[in-house]
Amino acid sequence: MAQKIASDQPQYSSNYIKNVAIVGATGTSGKFIVQSLLEKGKHNVTAITREGGSAQMPEGVTVKKVNYDEHSSLVSALQGQDALVITMGVRAPPDQQTKLINAAAEAGVAWILPNEFGYDSANEALCNDIMPNASKSQYTSLIEKLGKSKWIGFVCGFWYEFSLSGSPDRFGFDFKDRSLVMIDEGTQPISVTTFPQVGRGIAHLLSLPIHPENERDTSPTLSSFGNKYCYIASFVISQNDMLDSVLRVTKTDIKDWKITHENSKERYQKAKKRLQEGDFRALALVMYSRNFFPDGSGNHAATRGLDNDKLGLPKEDLDEFTNVAVKMVTEGFPDAYA
């Protein structure tokens, strides 16, 4: 099929999207996406929230309250939107995203960014090993089946500062005890992204022209990502790299830390068994340990390449965001970015 170009489109139609709806606007990553969209200043931003919700939105965000049990409520909220960004926690009802996608199709939303924002969903073996997320492809398949929208999967790897500051189940660090569980030898690189870069990535992606201006235009377009994945990363980093940054930021010596080692596959298998037995707390351990396998599954920068340059994303400083992670432990999540 020939590539569509802007001059082929109906007269007076814009080659840029204007109206963006987001689910989870005040959530962990959603707040950074909203902030970046507002800073970009090119979109009308609408937050889709549940009836009865009381979350406070930034100035400039329109709020549409919905009842997820009423299809017409969702369709009405999504009327006139060019794009729908879905961000939801792992504990969200499993049918919630399906309801949103069906409503978006009926409302004529042209672009959907489903609830990805993590490791490489195009890696079938990786997704199958992380059991609760093995069915992510059902949502992109549904979008294609309905035929009203294009999807873009946003792959960013684990959130760096969030993962570094969390429990040892994530990147292995415990800042309060100054301990580290080193997975294998700590040399396996993975691709990770900061929260601000995730926000910028979405804002820059949705600010691209929809189609090339003419046949000679080779600049990035939104349509070039249609029904595909967009890959970004802030850093490609191993646990040893993280440790070096932590030592610089905390002004500590390696002798100040208690370091133990664990085999990545054994760590994964133990966590998988716990999850199969109903211990949902083991999910993080399953996800993180699997991404540190020496097969490179967690490093989409190497296996897929990155779209950072296409989106015009800035380079970031590792120690700056290691410091944010440390502040998350001592001051809490919101204050760490102050």
Side-chain angles (χ1 to χ4, degrees), residues 136-269:
K136 277 188 175 183
S137 62
Q138 67 177 298
Y139 302 112
T140 54
S141 296
L142 175 60
I143 295 168
E144 292 185 24
K145 180 182 178 181
L146 293 170
K148 302 294 185 180
S149 317
K150 296 283 189 180
W151 60 266
I152 301 176
F154 199 78
V155 178
C156 56
F158 292 122
W159 302 316
Y160 176 66
E161 59 274 51
F162 171 84
S163 301
L164 186 65
S165 66
S167 75
D169 288 355
R170 297 177 192 167
F171 284 167
F173 286 82
D174 187 322
F175 284 92
K176 292 181 179 179
D177 292 341
R178 284 191 181 171
S179 64
L180 167 61
V181 179
M182 193 73 82
I183 302 171
D184 298 326
E185 297 304 315
T187 57
Q188 178 59 48
I190 63 172
S191 303
V192 299
T193 308
T194 67
F195 281 129
Q197 192 80 313
V198 169
R200 282 189 294 266
I202 297 296
H204 288 208
L205 175 66
L206 296 179
S207 297
L208 292 174
I210 299 172
H211 302 294
E213 289 299 325
N214 52 54
E215 293 87 346
R216 298 179 301 279
D217 185 2
T218 59
S219 57
T221 61
L222 197 60
S223 59
S224 66
F225 289 101
N227 291 352
K228 297 177 183 176
Y229 289 92
C230 176
Y231 294 90
I232 74 164
S234 296
F235 315 113
V236 177
I237 190 171
S238 69
Q239 278 186 297
N240 284 330
D241 298 326
M242 297 177 201
L243 177 59
D244 288 342
S245 181
V246 166
L247 295 179
R248 291 192 297 269
V249 167
T250 60
K251 295 180 172 56
T252 56
D253 189 272
I254 196 167
K255 297 191 298 292
D256 300 322
W257 290 74
K258 178 184 177 183
I259 300 176
T260 57
H261 289 259
E262 192 168 349
N263 179 274
S264 58
K265 294 184 178 180
E266 292 176 0
R267 183 176 171 90
Y268 165 77
Q269 289 296 340

Side-chain angles (χ1 to χ4, degrees), residues 119 124-134 158 169-170 181 183-184 262-276 279 282-295 297:
Y119 50 81
E124 188 174 339
L126 177 64
C127 289
N128 287 339
D129 283 346
I130 301 174
M131 295 162 291
N133 296 287
F158 292 122
D169 288 355
R170 297 177 192 167
V181 179
I183 302 171
D184 298 326
E262 192 168 349
N263 179 274
S264 58
K265 294 184 178 180
E266 292 176 0
R267 183 176 171 90
Y268 165 77
Q269 289 296 340
K270 287 188 290 186
K272 179 181 177 181
K273 184 174 185 294
R274 286 173 53 196
L275 191 59
Q276 289 173 329
D279 185 358
L283 176 59
L285 195 53
V286 167
M287 291 193 297
Y288 282 87
S289 58
R290 178 60 181 86
N291 275 267
F292 275 109
F293 273 20
D295 64 357
S297 292

